[in-house]
Amino acid sequence: DQQVKQNSPSLSVQEGRISILNCDYTNSMFDYFLWYKKYPAEGPTFLISISSIKDKNEDGRFTVFLNKSAKHLSLHIVPSQPGDSAVYFCAATSRFNFGNEKLTFGTGTRLTIIP
Amino acid sequence: EPEVTQTPSHQVTQMGQEVILRCVPISNHLYFYWYRQILGQKVEFLVSFYNNEISEKSEIFDDQFSVERPDGSNFTLKIRSTKLEDSAMYFCASSLDLNEKLFFGSGTQLSVL
C-alpha cells in the first residue's frame, strides 16, 4: 500500500543546473507535505514543507510545488550544489487528524550532483 | 544545534531475544516518535508518544513492541522477542509540538540473526 510514491530511485544532475524531484500520493486525506534530506549514517533532516492550501512554497534554493488535482508534488533545487547529493524523501500527513505525528514516507530518491 | 541522540548505532541480536533501543530527544520537545526503515523500503511510522502515553501507533507496532520514557531524558523502544523481519534501521524523532517539524536521530541499525 504505497500511499506516497517516488518513482525515480535515483537522479543525477550537473552542478549549477536545476534538480527536480517528484512525488505522487494517493490518499485524499493528506493535507500537508514535507521533504526530508538524508545523508549516509544520519537521520532524515527536514528541508521544506507545504500545506494543501498553497501550491508553492519557496525557501532559498528550494521550492516545493503542489498540484492537488494531480496529487503530485515536486521539489526544485536551483542551482544544484555538490552538498545537495543525498537521498530525498517525500512525506505526507493528514495534519487535521494527526498533526505531524504520523508521517507517511515515500521510498526516496538518491540525488547525485555531478561537479 | 540541539540534536536527537540514539544508542547504540548498531545492535546485533539473536532471534527471540529482547532488545532495547535508546534515544535522548531534544530537551524541550514534547512529542517523541519511532520510525523504522527496512533495507530498500520506505521509512515507516511505528509510534508516537506524548504526555507519558502512546498517542498514535501503526499496525506494525504490535504487542512485541513497547515504548517508555523511564526518566526525564530517555525514550526507549523495546522489542520483546525479536524476529528476523525486525531487522531494520530504527529512527527516533522528537518535535516541540504536534504541528512542528520532526528532528530525527541518526538511527540504530538492528540486525536479527
Side-chain angles (χ1 to χ4, degrees), chain A residues 101, chain B residues 31-32 34 45-58 61-62 65-69 75-77 80:
Chain A
E101 279 190 291
Chain B
Y31 281 81
F32 315 113
W34 284 100
F45 169 77
L46 293 178
V47 66
S48 60
F49 192 86
Y50 170 73
N51 201 25
N52 284 319
E53 57 184 32
I54 289 174
S55 178
E56 288 287 338
K57 61 181 182 177
S58 72
F61 194 87
D62 61 22
F65 292 89
S66 62
V67 289
E68 195 177 36
R69 189 153 162 82
F75 179 53
T76 61
L77 174 70
R80 266 181 265 285

Side-chain angles (χ1 to χ4, degrees), chain B residues 11-20 64 78-87 110-113:
Chain B
Q11 174 93 45
V12 181
T13 189
Q14 294 287 329
M15 190 169 59
Q17 295 294 305
E18 174 183 286
V19 293
I20 297 177
Q64 292 297 314
K78 182 194 290 187
I79 308 175
R80 266 181 265 285
S81 177
T82 49
K83 303 189 269 268
L84 295 176
E85 54 264 37
D86 294 328
S87 295
L110 176 65
S111 298
V112 182
L113 305 179

Side-chain angles (χ1 to χ4, degrees), chain A residues 1-4 32 36 38 41-46 89 95 97-107, chain B residues 31 33 35 37 40-45 48-49 55-58 91 98-102 104-107:
Chain A
D1 175 24
Q2 280 197 294
Q3 297 187 64
V4 177
Y32 195 72
Y36 278 80
K38 185 183 178 305
E42 294 184 13
T45 303
F46 171 80
F89 291 100
R95 215 182 203 192
N97 290 309
F98 302 113
N100 282 353
E101 279 190 291
K102 203 171 170 180
L103 299 179
T104 299
F105 281 84
T107 49
Chain B
Y31 281 81
Y33 313 85
Y35 282 77
Q37 185 180 23
Q41 298 185 24
K42 62 182 181 177
V43 176
E44 299 174 292
F45 169 77
S48 60
F49 192 86
S55 178
E56 288 287 338
K57 61 181 182 177
S58 72
F91 292 107
L98 189 60
N99 288 330
E100 294 290 330
K101 65 184 180 186
L102 274 64
F104 283 85
S106 55

Side-chain angles (χ1 to χ4, degrees), chain A residues 57-97:
Chain A
N57 188 26
E58 196 171 344
D59 183 2
R61 296 185 298 113
F62 302 93
T63 304
V64 56
F65 295 92
L66 175 62
N67 182 335
K68 286 193 295 292
S69 60
K71 293 192 174 69
H72 177 83
L73 62 154
S74 61
L75 174 68
H76 292 211
I77 306 173
V78 183
S80 301
Q81 299 174 352
D84 296 330
S85 294
V87 177
Y88 288 78
F89 291 100
C90 172
T93 184
S94 170
R95 215 182 203 192
F96 178 79
N97 290 309

Side-chain angles (χ1 to χ4, degrees), chain A residues 35-52:
Chain A
W35 284 94
Y36 278 80
K37 179 168 81 170
K38 185 183 178 305
Y39 293 120
E42 294 184 13
T45 303
F46 171 80
L47 200 55
I48 194 169
S49 61
I50 188 166
S51 163
S52 60

